[in-house]
């Protein structure tokens, strides 16, 4: 997690900066382009953030499936 901390901060900082630039520009096409770019950066940031836990996702699903039967 700590290895990707700088990358995550950079991506989410760029996301914020793109939206601010789009809002300050008062040009709707530029705003839409900045928002689309920000969404793409957000998705990439989310993938980077969740990548270390991806191999363990199958264990979480198995865990939740077992506990669900106890509550029924």
């Amino acid at each position: 997690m700590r290895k990707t901390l700088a990358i995550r901060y950079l991506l989410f900082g760029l996301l914020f900066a793109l939206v601010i630039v789009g809002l300050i520009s008062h040009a709707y096409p530029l705003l839409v382009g900045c928002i689309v770019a920000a969404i793409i950066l957000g998705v990439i940031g989310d993938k980077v953030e969740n990548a270390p836990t991806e191999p363990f996702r199958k264990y979480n699903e198995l865990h939740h499936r077992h506990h669900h039967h106890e509550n029924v």
Side-chain angles (χ1 to χ4, degrees):
M1 275 301 215
R2 292 186 185 268
K3 293 178 185 177
T4 62
L5 188 63
I7 295 170
R8 287 185 286 148
Y9 279 137
L10 176 70
L11 286 173
F12 290 121
L14 286 173
L15 183 150
F16 181 74
L18 279 172
V19 173
I20 294 299
V21 166
L23 288 173
I24 291 173
S25 71
H26 296 290
Y28 287 115
L30 182 61
L31 175 61
V32 170
C34 286
I35 289 174
V36 169
I39 290 170
I40 292 169
L41 285 176
V43 170
I44 293 170
D46 185 57
K47 293 287 186 187
V48 168
E49 189 172 12
N50 291 325
T53 60
E54 198 64 38
F56 303 104
R57 183 173 294 219
K58 62 183 177 184
Y59 299 122
N60 291 340
E61 291 172 4
L62 181 66
H63 175 75
H64 292 301
R65 191 178 78 224
H66 285 297
H67 285 287
H68 176 69
H69 292 295
E70 293 175 6
N71 295 330
V72 175

